[in-house]
Amino acid sequence: MASIAIRHPVEATEVKLGQRLGAGLVAEVFEWGADVIKLYQPGQGKEQAFREAATLAMLEHGKLPVPKVRGVLETDGRWGVVMSRAPGRPIAAVMLEHPGDAQAMLDDVVRLQLRIHAEPGQFLPRLRDRLRGAIARARQLSANEIGATLQLLETLPDGDRLCHGDFHPYNVMGTAEAPVIIDWLDATKGAPEADACRSYLLLLHAVPDVAATYLDAYVRLSGRAREAILAWLPVLAAARLVEQVPGEHDRLAALVRSAL
């Protein structure tokens, strides 16, 4: 297992932030010399930074193409993970530029996800436990709706496979021949169908046509039943409510209530 360096904040002055390469709800990615640093927003991120670094340290010597973790540090009041820079651009960007090749590229993305699901999820937290905690905090749902969703969760299979938790074409860098999978903060041990449904849910709001095409591709290439994947949808929608994604609350709550 690779070691995780813990550097004192003053050492961060040796390397300065470069160009911002990307941003999400809770973190930004910047150039950091020849590497990159994923910086969480001020006042948060210490636990997340160490968790993602530990996951990368476990995975980087395995069969999957992932960044190599360099260390965890605090700079200017923000915690971050330094890791090797993934080459190229997100596959999603290439898909948008070449719509005629989008289906073939999406198939390649799904095949990469199947490689993830072929790996054991040992040493990682259980997806079921993480979902249970998130659903219990979904304030947009009533107590009865939370209880019913938790009961539904208990009927779904546990699973012991590696689940990425945030897998979509924007988190695959490079090409089909030389991809790198990024953003491993939400990795868990669980059922592949749940991870596939999470990918479908992430795509459903912004690009519903791509979401449907992704699901078709996953069912076709994995041999897993569509019904077994979609059975996770209300549970995952309830859990996503706590992420406070702008513009998604009503749709997510509707997905939960339609299944209860």
Side-chain angles (χ1 to χ4, degrees), residues 126 128 131-132 135 147-159 191 227-228 230-235 259-260:
R126 296 171 69 215
R128 181 186 301 278
L131 291 174
R132 188 183 292 119
I135 293 167
T149 306
L150 290 172
Q151 288 180 359
L152 177 58
L153 173 61
E154 295 308 313
T155 69
L156 296 171
D158 203 12
E227 295 76 13
L230 292 178
W232 287 90
L233 191 58
V235 169
L260 300 181

Side-chain angles (χ1 to χ4, degrees), residues 122-142:
Q122 56 188 347
F123 308 124
L124 289 170
R126 296 171 69 215
L127 175 59
R128 181 186 301 278
D129 293 340
R130 188 168 291 179
L131 291 174
R132 188 183 292 119
I135 293 167
R137 302 194 308 275
R139 289 175 293 178
Q140 297 87 346
L141 303 176
S142 69

